[in-house]
Structure formats: structure tokens, C-alpha cells
Amino acid sequence: MRTPAVRFRVDFGRHEAVGPGKIALLEHIAASGSLSQAARELKMSYRRAWQLLESLNGSFSERVAVTSKGGRGGGGAALTPLGTELVSQYRAFDRDVQSRAARYFQELAAKSRARSTAGAAPVRRLSER
Amino acid sequence: MRTPAVRFRVDFGRHEAVGPGKIALLEHIAASGSLSQAARELKMSYRRAWQLLESLNGSFSERVAVTSKGGRGGGGAALTPLGTELVSQYRAFDRDVQSRAARYFQELAAKSRARSTAGAAPVRRLSER
């Protein structure tokens, strides 16, 4: 039986949604020390990564990451304490949510077509909303 | 300060995602006893409502709702025990998730631009991912 997975984003306000894409960007910035490197690792354009980071920086009263320009290697990027806190709380919440979903939906998951039981009848699958 | 809200869907498998749209449809079917009435209330086409319901019915080893054809009024629809259980567990999980998000993100929400503090600096808002 497959464990149900929850996909989510947290809305801090009308234009302040934080989901897996932004969190992954922050994690890759923290690990690589570089926005362009983070973008490459996530297979997104530098422009897209920059937009996501600007959106995050505009969502809070303090910045979540700072970037420094130029020099050899094209400048660096690092998370602020607020950015580190955001990633940490998001990931802790994520673990909590997934673990609680496993309990809430255990019986329903057992009746899901996605369970790996041999011989389950094939079923037409329509696109998800 | 605005309480953070979590938007989510539960993936029971690759093609078995259940989110707010499908749950709302089941709730409106339960309340109205009619798929076409549920569709009207949710301002979606009958075809769309039917597709969502078929997708749900195909996601589990039992149906979540049954429909009966014809007669005056155009036939009825009702949730099965599995459908009732799905709605009930989803809503209980939803309440739990929102309440836990409020705790996990309390400090971050206080630093969100969305807080209703007078005099917060205007900020450019980019589209969300």
C-alpha cells in the first residue's frame, strides 16, 4: 500500500505563498552559496530563480536571503536567519503533515487503486483537478 | 496578523489526487442529492463535475458516489459510505493541518508583509510559483 503524500503550500497572505519550489530554492542557495548554482541544480533559469527569491524577500519584513554582486564566480548568496528559520519550520511542518496524513488516510489508502496489490482492475484515469 | 493558511491535496497515487475541488463536489452532492445541482452550486459545467466524480470513483476500489438516471428532476446522486468517509477524514485532516500551521508559522507570520499593521512598506509582488 502506498502511503498518501500531501502536496501543500503555506499562504502567509494574498501574495505570500510559500511552497516546495521556493523552499527548494532556499535550500540550494544555502548548500551552494550561489543563486546561479541553485538555479542550475533546480533546472530553472537564473531569471526565474531571481524572481522567486525577490518574491520571498518581498513577502516578509526582512529578507530571507542576501546576494552579493560580481567578482570571480559571479557573486554569492546566503540565507539570513529568517530564511533559515523559514526552511526549518517548513520542513518540520512537512514531516508532521506527512506523518499525520498517513494516520488520517490509512484506511482510505488501503482502498486506493494506487495500492500495489497484484490483480487490481485497470481503471480509466481522468486528469486531476 | 493574518493566520497562515495551508492549501493542500492528498495524493493516494500517481493519478489519485484529492483536493478541495473534489471534496467540495462530494459535499454538494451529499447536500443536494444531485450531481447537476452540485455542479451549478460550484459554478462548474456538468461535464466537469462528471469528470471529477469519475476520477474519484476510479481512484478507489469502491465508488465514492452513485448516480441514478432519469425520471423527473433528472436523476439523483448520493455518497457511498466510502465517499462519506473520504469527506469526513479530509475535513478533519484539514482542521488539524490549519491549526498546526498556525503554531509552526506563528513567528514567521508576524514578519509577513500580509500582517495588517498600518504603515507597512509597499512592496513589489511577483507572481507565485
Side-chain angles (χ1 to χ4, degrees):
Chain A
M1 185 181 81
R2 187 181 183 282
T3 305
V6 182
R7 284 180 289 160
F8 69 89
R9 57 195 58 238
V10 182
D11 284 341
F12 287 95
R14 199 181 165 86
H15 298 277
E16 287 86 5
V18 179
K22 287 176 179 171
I23 294 297
L25 180 64
L26 293 183
E27 288 173 331
H28 282 256
I29 288 171
S32 70
S34 155
L35 182 58
S36 56
Q37 179 63 25
R40 272 194 297 275
E41 289 170 2
L42 292 166
K43 299 187 199 321
M44 65 172 72
S45 68
Y46 180 81
R47 179 183 157 78
R48 178 68 183 149
W50 187 86
Q51 284 177 331
L52 287 174
L53 185 55
E54 279 301 285
S55 171
L56 274 167
N57 278 331
S59 295
F60 298 95
S61 55
E62 306 164 21
R63 300 178 70 81
V64 298
V66 288
T67 50
S68 60
K69 274 187 191 167
R72 284 186 301 177
L79 301 196
T80 64
L82 181 66
T84 304
E85 177 75 2
L86 177 59
V87 171
S88 159
Q89 288 301 101
Y90 185 96
R91 286 306 179 196
F93 179 68
D94 190 10
R95 286 190 296 273
D96 195 6
V97 161
Q98 305 304 339
S99 134
R100 297 182 82 80
R103 275 182 276 158
Y104 273 92
F105 299 109
Q106 185 175 25
E107 288 184 33
L108 285 153
K111 293 183 175 174
S112 162
R113 292 281 186 191
R115 74 200 189 291
S116 55
T117 307
V123 60
R124 182 174 45 156
R125 278 159 184 166
L126 295 162
S127 62
E128 298 305 315
R129 190 180 193 188
Chain B
M1 186 179 80
R2 189 179 181 284
T3 304
V6 182
R7 283 180 289 160
F8 68 90
R9 57 195 58 235
V10 182
D11 284 342
F12 287 95
R14 200 180 163 86
H15 298 276
E16 287 87 4
V18 179
K22 287 176 178 171
I23 293 297
L25 180 64
L26 292 183
E27 287 172 333
H28 282 257
I29 288 171
S32 70
S34 155
L35 182 57
S36 55
Q37 180 63 23
R40 273 193 295 277
E41 289 170 1
L42 292 167
K43 298 186 200 320
M44 64 172 74
S45 68
Y46 180 81
R47 179 182 157 77
R48 177 69 183 149
W50 186 87
Q51 284 178 332
L52 288 175
L53 185 55
E54 279 302 286
S55 171
L56 274 168
N57 277 331
S59 295
F60 298 96
S61 55
E62 305 164 21
R63 301 179 68 81
V64 298
V66 288
T67 52
S68 59
K69 273 187 191 167
R72 282 187 302 178
L79 301 195
T80 64
L82 182 66
T84 303
E85 176 75 1
L86 176 59
V87 171
S88 159
Q89 289 300 102
Y90 186 95
R91 286 305 179 196
F93 179 68
D94 190 10
R95 286 190 295 273
D96 194 5
V97 161
Q98 304 305 338
S99 132
R100 298 180 83 79
R103 277 181 276 157
Y104 273 93
F105 299 109
Q106 185 175 26
E107 287 184 34
L108 284 153
K111 291 183 176 173
S112 163
R113 292 281 185 191
R115 73 201 190 291
S116 56
T117 307
V123 62
R124 182 173 42 156
R125 279 159 184 168
L126 295 161
S127 62
E128 298 305 314
R129 193 185 192 186

